[in-house]
Amino acid sequence: MNGIFIDDKRLGIRVPHLDKPWEDYSPNEQEAILLEWETIRGLIPDRIAELEREINEKQDALGQEADFARSCQLNADIAELASIVNDLWIWYRTAPSVSSPTRKKAGRKTITPHNK
């Protein structure tokens, strides 16, 4: 899906970037987008596990660290990684569906982490 999914360097996955309302895509386009999203979505638990390993390594290092400035940096790194994990879980729970042809535009559903 060229142009629909863009690399999110922070999250380490491709995320949808729709250029028009969800209902303006044909049912075939919606199905293709959803198929691609499900493939990407299936990678999210592995990405989260990878980040959790990093968090654990940094927490172990923090427990051994005597330098205050380095401790602060490790804490900031851990907080950022935890924030990424949280955002990934939000994206993982995003599960849109193909719109019915009679659905009104006022109730439009798009692929965003805010709609569930």
Side-chain angles (χ1 to χ4, degrees):
M1 299 269 21
N2 292 339
I4 299 292
F5 292 93
I6 58 172
D7 286 330
D8 186 308
K9 301 290 184 207
R10 179 176 173 270
L11 298 179
I13 63 168
R14 292 181 307 132
V15 295
H17 182 73
L18 303 180
D19 57 359
K20 58 186 175 182
W22 183 243
E23 290 78 17
D24 289 349
Y25 290 94
S26 72
N28 287 343
E29 289 173 316
Q30 289 181 5
E31 285 182 28
I33 292 167
L34 291 177
L35 180 62
E36 182 69 18
W37 173 242
E38 284 305 311
T39 300
I40 295 166
R41 192 171 167 256
L43 301 172
I44 292 175
D46 291 336
R47 177 71 178 130
I48 289 171
E50 176 185 317
L51 292 168
E52 287 175 340
R53 281 190 294 276
E54 260 188 83
I55 289 170
N56 289 335
E57 289 170 8
K58 290 186 182 289
Q59 286 176 326
D60 290 345
L62 182 60
Q64 307 286 329
E65 189 57 60
D67 180 60
F68 179 73
R70 178 74 181 131
S71 294
C72 290
Q73 183 58 55
L74 286 167
N75 266 323
D77 293 348
I78 291 166
E80 176 59 19
L81 291 168
S83 174
I84 294 167
V85 167
N86 184 59
D87 290 348
L88 285 167
W89 276 123
I90 291 169
W91 276 108
Y92 184 74
R93 288 189 297 267
T94 301
S97 59
V98 175
S99 299
S100 103
T102 59
R103 192 169 180 188
K104 293 183 179 170
K105 290 217 179 223
R108 72 177 129 205
K109 182 167 187 142
T110 59
I111 301 178
T112 67
H114 309 291
N115 293 334
K116 296 179 181 78

